[in-house]
Amino acid sequence: MPQQAMGLQLRSTVKKEGILELSLTSVPIPEPKPDEVVVRVEASPINPSDLGLMLGGADLSTTKASGTADDTVVTASIPPAMMKSMAGRVDQSLPVGNEGAGVVVSAGSADQARALMGKTVAILGGAMYAQFRCIKASQCLVLPQGTTPAEGASCFVNPLTALGMVETMRLEGHSALVHTAAASNLGQMLNKLCLQDGIGLVNIVRKQEHADVLKAIGAKHVVNSGAATFMDDLKEALVATGATLAFDAIGGGKLASQILSCMEAAAARTASEYSRYGSTTHKQVYIYGGLDRGPTELNRNFGMSWGLGGWLLTAFLKKIGPEAAQKLRERVAREIKTTFASHYSKEVSLAEALRLDEIAIYGQVSTGQKYLINPNKGLG
Amino acid sequence: MPQQAMGLQLRSTVKKEGILELSLTSVPIPEPKPDEVVVRVEASPINPSDLGLMLGGADLSTTKASGTADDTVVTASIPPAMMKSMAGRVDQSLPVGNEGAGVVVSAGSADQARALMGKTVAILGGAMYAQFRCIKASQCLVLPQGTTPAEGASCFVNPLTALGMVETMRLEGHSALVHTAAASNLGQMLNKLCLQDGIGLVNIVRKQEHADVLKAIGAKHVVNSGAATFMDDLKEALVATGATLAFDAIGGGKLASQILSCMEAAAARTASEYSRYGSTTHKQVYIYGGLDRGPTELNRNFGMSWGLGGWLLTAFLKKIGPEAAQKLRERVAREIKTTFASHYSKEVSLAEALRLDEIAIYGQVSTGQKYLINPNKGLG
């Protein structure tokens, strides 16, 4: 029996003592079952949604490295308040990385699997910060000829989130959108998608430089929440677009409440009669991220027709069903170099992803700093 | 041409100077159109939902009376912060009183109208704090023989709200309920309804004496938000009932967030696998009142499957449509002396309703203090 081939995988562990531990582990490359393939992962983005699992809420000012350069172990302290929400994962060594792309290097005996041999595919399913990922053939999205793994690395999380926002808008009877933290990679993608599909979009950013980024790519409505005129600017943009649905990546603070208030003020402009319960226009904000982990504060000066809720891509895809979801994926593959193209500030290897200076940068989740991991970089 | 008959009506005006003015006005009794009837109103409750329109957010420590006993004008100051939400009603003399009951004293020529002559009916539609109310015959709910106007005065707001909560639970796929400010007239009614229909109900109250009131009428799950063990007690009651939907009359503060947190903790008990996005159980809180006018604070430690929103009876009835709404009304009429019976602490005339000592009591909206206005009391 030949020796089992091995591959490196990034692991994250939250220890019950309140310590995060990041390390690289050598794991066997599985033999694919008949309906499975093994993908050599060559590109996997570090999305904000990866960092929650990877960094476990740790205080990044406390990171320490030990071990050798190729076998580093990074540790950091997790504030006690964060540990409460970690109960379900304590002392488990978890693989990380939601999505990625690479080349199929071995395949099971089923036709659907064998047909993928040598193809460049995009995959979603966790454990992508690894040299190899064994996965069902049906979960592979074949990329168009001439697409590199780096170009196809972000086929799911951001593109499907952007498409999911637009589909949610349609399903719930709204006609235009508001988006916060709008200069993010996702925000720029949503902006391109809405321009392409002729959908009104109000982009809310926190800095003038982010407004400039969006205007440079053709955004029509950009409002800066840091400006003194924010509430008036937002109201005007809401009147202009008719947007009554917002997706909020911030979560904490007063922003969701401000959006609902401005939507209500925009609706009241067309109301003919006084009602102390406010307009009958339904106003909805979905929180899909938590860039501000603080509490959400609602002043409820927006009548009674409103909703606030969590929005999660996986729940949305489950709701629309596999056929509708597959159509969205196929659109992403077709437009991966245009509408759904992603940009990265840096490509790193698995070992480089554990360098403290790199963690300090990508751990900030700041607009314009997006990393791509190439798990096979520097490994021959 | 005979002199037109007149009737008294209570009016509320918010003056642009920030002053509330309450008065009685003499208005002509309209001739009913063919499909209308005129009801001599003999009983109309002061619901919390009436007080918003009637008192216009005024500071009740500033009430003053002028004029004679039978022709009193009451004034009070409205805090500047409240005036913002009054913009739509400034300087309009508005009638008040959502619902009531009385006897049909004249009818239009249509058969449906004439059939109601002399009948005791319950009506909804505003302007009920008046001796006479002209209304479409189709809006009258005929009360069963032997029902007095006082017994039928509260056929709509509380009974339909209680039924609306239960129907919303069914429509949105939940199987049990949570209710706050649960010892209120509405809360006691909801408790009777849930016992009758075999629905699990978690009653949240703020004082031990309110818990006692509910237990005395057979409530199974009562938790006191003032107790040190509140969060644990709530969690246990949620596990026992499986409630994932709450109706909250408080609005401000942390209660909605605490309910969602406890629902998530209850759901996590049965979860088999760690997910940092929390359970897939959808948890919903609807705010239908604002006993605490302060901001709502959400700490978002309840995963991503959650919703918070406003809930308004009129919007709910519109959503289910006229036929379904009529079925609910007919059930109320059938059970008006049992499930949907209301209790009042005092009956007052229109003139008595403007006495400062009475306003000081009913204006507090405290559990156990509910007034009934009889607009034809003391008028012969």
Side-chain angles (χ1 to χ4, degrees), chain B residues 4 10 22 40 43 49-50 72 82 89 94 157 167 328:
Chain B
Q4 170 111 46
L10 192 150
L22 297 175
R40 185 180 68 231
S49 53
D50 292 308
T72 307
M82 288 301 300
R89 61 169 290 189
L94 300 174
V157 179
E167 288 301 305
L328 298 183

Side-chain angles (χ1 to χ4, degrees), chain A residues 49-50 52-53 85-86 88-89 250-252 274 276-277 287-288 290 292-300 304 306-312, chain B residues 49-50 52-53 85-86 88-89 250-252 274 276-277 287-288 290 292-300 304 306-312:
Chain A
S49 53
D50 292 308
L53 182 61
S85 59
M86 298 293 148
R89 61 170 290 189
I250 312 287
Y274 171 72
R276 66 186 195 80
Y277 297 115
I287 294 176
Y288 75 93
D292 179 344
R293 291 177 184 171
T296 311
E297 198 179 296
L298 304 173
N299 67 9
R300 303 197 316 287
M304 291 298 278
W306 62 276
L308 178 72
W311 192 91
L312 190 63
Chain B
S49 53
D50 292 308
L53 183 62
S85 59
M86 298 293 150
R89 61 169 290 189
I250 312 287
Y274 170 71
R276 65 184 195 80
Y277 297 114
I287 295 176
Y288 75 94
D292 178 344
R293 291 177 184 172
T296 311
E297 197 178 297
L298 305 173
N299 68 9
R300 303 199 314 290
M304 291 299 279
W306 61 277
L308 179 71
W311 192 90
L312 190 63

